[in-house]
Amino acid sequence: RLRAVVTRHSAVLAFDLAADKQVCALTDQDSRVLARRTVSAKAWQLREAVEWGLTQAAAAGFSSVVVACEPTGHRWRVLDQIAAEAGARLVCVQPLLVHRARESEDFTRNKSDETDAMIIARLVTELRCYLPERADPAWARLRHLGARRAALVTDATAARQQITDLLECAWPAALEAAGEPMKSKSWLAAMTVLLDRVGTSGDLSLIRRWGWNRFAAAVRRELPRHGATRWYSKIVRAVFDAAADPARAAAGVTSQRAGALERTRFALADLAHARAETAVVEARMVEVLDELGLTTLVTSIPGLSAVGAAAILAETGDPARFSSARALVKHAGLCPRDNASGSYQGKTGISGRGRPQLRLAAWRAVWAALRNNPVLAARHAHLTGRADNKLTDAQARVAVAGSLLRQLHAVITTGTAWDPAIACGLKPHPRASAKGAAAAA
């Protein structure tokens, strides 16, 4: 498909995209510059520059033009639409390739927009580029929701870590009230009430004077805001006792207490907001899966929830755009990276290229999958228990993450629900059997 777009009869119109300054270079297949132009405009104002490039290419005798750029933010999507409306096709070049090609020019770190545009054009003529995804509205929406969810998960994690760090300094007894404070809705509700009562003074004796009955009633009113209807009284009582006991209340750096507790209250609000927004986003992601007709298929894989599958598909886009499941695993950077030369055999790891958020989504999905998916659990047990080339638990989980992506690709592209016999190789896939029968005929 790439060779059909980038032909020997195509000129390359390469753009180095920026916020307000756009540099373009028109080259032939031997990377000879036919024309250059610098435009002071936004990305959505490049229609005239693209038409200029098409005119210059036609004057030079080329029958077609390929527009090229680095996938910078969302600017490349705007350029893709402008190029399509002008009758040209856009290809993208990875920024890492441009960086390395720039250094290979003269072994310096020299950088300019004009040089980058020329390098992008040269890489296109060498076919070191790719055809970007042109997602339909549903898949595009899923990508944006996935990005929003990833940001919210990061915010929630940061808030949890900040709360723990602040309380360890200012009032460590509060963290002892629950085994896993950040997962306890009763603890979060009790701490919210307590910090609202203490205010900016940092005086925990206010809680003792307030009394247990009034404190408990306030916690009950706060619980629904944290998504709970019933409390665990033992935890709430432990929070109250930690403040009411003078010895436990005195523990910590008292000079930092007022400011730290005030900041902890802000972090609690951030955590509650992030969790509430995450729930809304996840519900919308599942709605998109329903719209695409994929919910039943992806949840047929034991241990993979609709939200977990949506988080993965938000990073992959439509799996059908990948030629094979192996290509999808490479896109995630989970494919093995060999390290051998002659008789030397180094340690094999993963490539680590591709989309980091896709690797993270697959890694998170593995934890539930290993508890509920017998095929993936058996693979993990085999990898960690074999006599030769035994893997660690983390290494095996990475391998299982790759297997999960392959299974997800298979069920979506074939429209076939997950089958344990097919997943573990005991039975050939119907599509593979049909191809074999056709080849034999």
Side-chain angles (χ1 to χ4, degrees), residues 82-130:
I82 293 174
E85 292 172 351
R89 183 64 194 266
L90 177 82
V91 296
C92 288
V93 178
Q94 287 289 358
L96 178 62
L97 292 181
V98 176
H99 172 75
R100 289 179 172 174
R102 187 189 306 124
E103 289 189 343
S104 69
E105 287 287 315
D106 55 4
F107 301 103
T108 69
R109 297 181 182 272
N110 292 339
K111 183 184 186 307
S112 68
D113 295 340
E114 291 75 12
T115 301
D116 283 357
M118 188 183 67
I119 290 174
I120 291 171
R122 191 184 76 222
L123 292 172
V124 171
T125 62
E126 297 172 356
L127 295 181
R128 298 170 69 185
C129 56
Y130 66 93

Side-chain angles (χ1 to χ4, degrees), residues 171-190:
W171 184 31
L175 296 173
E176 300 172 358
E180 294 184 278
M182 301 305 149
K183 295 183 179 180
S184 171
K185 295 178 181 179
S186 296
W187 186 89
L188 292 171

Side-chain angles (χ1 to χ4, degrees), residues 142-431:
L142 184 61
R143 278 197 180 273
H144 286 289
L145 289 173
R148 170 65 173 165
R149 179 181 180 271
L152 288 170
V153 170
T154 300
D155 291 343
T157 302
R160 290 198 304 267
Q161 292 175 342
Q162 187 179 76
I163 292 169
T164 301
D165 184 56
L166 290 170
L167 290 178
E168 284 177 348
C169 171
W171 184 31
L175 296 173
E176 300 172 358
E180 294 184 278
M182 301 305 149
K183 295 183 179 180
S184 171
K185 295 178 181 179
S186 296
W187 186 89
L188 292 171
M191 286 298 299
T192 301
V193 169
L194 183 146
L195 294 177
D196 283 342
R197 180 64 178 174
V198 170
T200 60
S201 66
D203 184 6
L204 296 175
S205 64
L206 293 174
I207 302 302
R208 182 175 66 253
R209 294 196 294 269
W210 200 22
W212 163 251
N213 291 334
R214 296 172 68 181
F215 178 76
V219 172
R220 288 193 182 95
R221 292 192 297 270
E222 178 68 23
L223 276 173
R225 300 177 187 174
H226 298 267
T229 56
R230 299 179 62 184
W231 70 349
Y232 189 41
S233 60
K234 186 177 180 180
I235 291 178
V236 177
R237 185 75 197 199
V239 173
F240 177 81
D241 291 342
D245 184 356
R248 300 178 66 191
V253 183
T254 55
S255 62
Q256 294 287 324
R257 176 166 295 169
L261 292 184
E262 183 179 15
R263 191 172 161 202
T264 300
R265 181 63 186 91
F266 290 140
L268 283 171
D270 293 341
L271 178 59
H273 174 75
R275 286 178 169 174
E277 287 294 302
T278 300
V280 172
V281 171
E282 289 178 347
R284 295 188 180 186
M285 292 173 73
V286 174
E287 289 177 3
V288 176
L289 280 190
D290 293 338
E291 180 183 344
L292 294 169
L294 298 178
T295 305
T296 303
L297 278 176
V298 298
T299 54
S300 68
I301 302 177
L304 184 62
S305 66
V307 173
I312 293 174
L313 295 176
E315 294 297 325
T316 65
D318 187 356
R321 71 190 183 94
F322 295 94
S323 59
S324 65
R326 181 173 178 269
L328 175 56
V329 176
K330 290 180 68 176
H331 187 60
L334 291 172
C335 58
R337 177 182 58 82
D338 202 5
N339 182 21
S341 178
S343 59
Y344 170 77
Q345 180 61 55
K347 183 178 180 181
T348 300
I350 60 172
S351 70
R353 301 299 187 189
R355 297 182 70 89
Q357 287 295 333
L358 176 55
R359 285 198 299 278
L360 180 60
W363 172 261
R364 286 172 174 165
V366 163
W367 296 87
L370 286 180
R371 293 194 299 268
N372 300 280
N373 191 310
V375 175
L376 296 181
R379 176 167 175 76
H380 180 273
H382 166 71
L383 294 174
T384 56
R386 60 189 180 186
D388 60 318
N389 196 21
K390 181 178 179 180
L391 301 185
T392 65
D393 176 69
Q395 291 172 330
R397 287 179 184 271
V398 170
V400 171
S403 298
L404 181 61
L405 290 180
R406 293 185 183 92
Q407 293 183 17
L408 189 62
H409 179 274
V411 299
I412 292 178
T413 56
T414 63
T416 306
W418 187 85
D419 185 339
I422 297 176
C424 64
L426 296 178
K427 184 173 73 174
H429 195 280
R431 177 175 290 186

